[in-house]
């Protein structure tokens, strides 16, 4: 196998692994699963949100999601797309788009932005070493309907 093909295969596998990590992350946030979020992070995880100062440590990381859970949003759905991943030394540097839709009683909020995260391999799994969240657009819409009628029989 040529070196180019081997590199392409390694990059494809790395992208698939990063995409899986993002999907596990999104589901954990949507379900308020702090244990799953903790399992996704390294012990020395860092978190940066927009222009806020970077915070260090697992508790600072989890505090972001504790605050999200405390908002008691009836339904929240994250969609993560366009995942790129690149090995840089021991780190896996990723870039992805996200949309977070929060269905609340009085309104629907849609946040769109990017994740520029750093993962590290720990026991064969990608773990978040630095979570970087940048919201690029926030949109507020009317409350969504809580029911749906399927078409057909």
């Amino acid at each position: 196998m040529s070196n180019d093909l081997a590199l392409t295969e390694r990059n494809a596998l790395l992208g698939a692994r990063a995409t899986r990590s993002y999907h596990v992350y999104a589901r954990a946030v949507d379900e308020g699963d702090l244990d799953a979020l903790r399992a996704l992070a390294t012990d020395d995880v860092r978190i940066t949100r927009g222009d806020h100062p970077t915070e260090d440590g697992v508790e600072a990381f989890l505090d972001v999601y504790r605050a999200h859970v405390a908002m008691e949003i009836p339904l929240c759905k994250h969609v993560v797309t366009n995942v790129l991943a690149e090995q840089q030394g021991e780190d896996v540097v990723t870039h992805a788009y996200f949309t977070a839709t929060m269905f609340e009683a009085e309104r629907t909020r849609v946040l769109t932005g990017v994740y520029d995260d750093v993962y590290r391999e720990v026991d064969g799994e990608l773990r978040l070493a630095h979570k970087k969240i940048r919201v690029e657009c926030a949109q507020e819409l009317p409350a969504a309907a809580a029911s749906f009628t399927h078409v057909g029989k």
Side-chain angles (χ1 to χ4, degrees):
M1 181 169 13
S2 75
N3 285 342
D4 288 345
L5 182 56
L7 179 60
T8 298
E9 288 180 353
R10 279 197 308 275
N11 285 341
L13 179 58
L14 188 59
R17 292 177 69 210
T19 298
R20 181 186 184 286
S21 293
Y22 275 120
H23 291 181
V24 170
Y25 164 83
R27 187 166 188 163
V29 173
D30 291 343
E31 294 177 357
D33 188 342
L34 297 174
D35 292 333
L37 287 163
R38 171 60 187 101
L40 286 171
T42 60
D43 292 337
D44 60 348
V45 66
R46 303 172 77 206
I47 186 162
T48 305
R49 295 175 296 145
D51 295 331
H52 293 279
T54 298
E55 298 180 76
D56 297 320
V58 171
E59 291 306 312
F61 173 77
L62 290 175
D63 281 347
V64 170
Y65 304 102
R66 287 182 184 114
H68 179 74
V69 169
M71 293 173 67
E72 297 183 1
I73 298 166
L75 181 64
C76 182
K77 294 295 178 189
H78 281 71
V79 176
V80 182
T81 66
N82 299 58
V83 177
L84 297 173
E86 179 181 317
Q87 190 78 45
Q88 291 184 4
E90 293 185 17
D91 293 334
V92 176
V93 177
T94 63
H95 177 80
Y97 299 160
F98 74 86
T99 302
T101 306
M102 291 163 269
F103 299 95
E104 300 169 83
E106 301 298 320
R107 64 185 177 172
T108 300
R109 287 185 295 143
V110 181
L111 304 179
T112 301
V114 295
Y115 296 136
D116 288 308
D117 296 337
V118 178
Y119 287 85
R120 196 169 303 130
E121 183 113 17
V122 177
D123 297 327
E125 294 289 329
L126 292 180
R127 301 280 184 235
L128 274 167
H130 193 165
K131 181 73 183 160
K132 300 177 189 178
I133 305 168
R134 185 166 28 102
V135 174
E136 297 176 314
C137 181
Q139 183 179 27
E140 192 167 313
L141 303 168
S147 63
F148 179 78
T149 303
H150 293 275
V151 178
K153 295 181 181 187

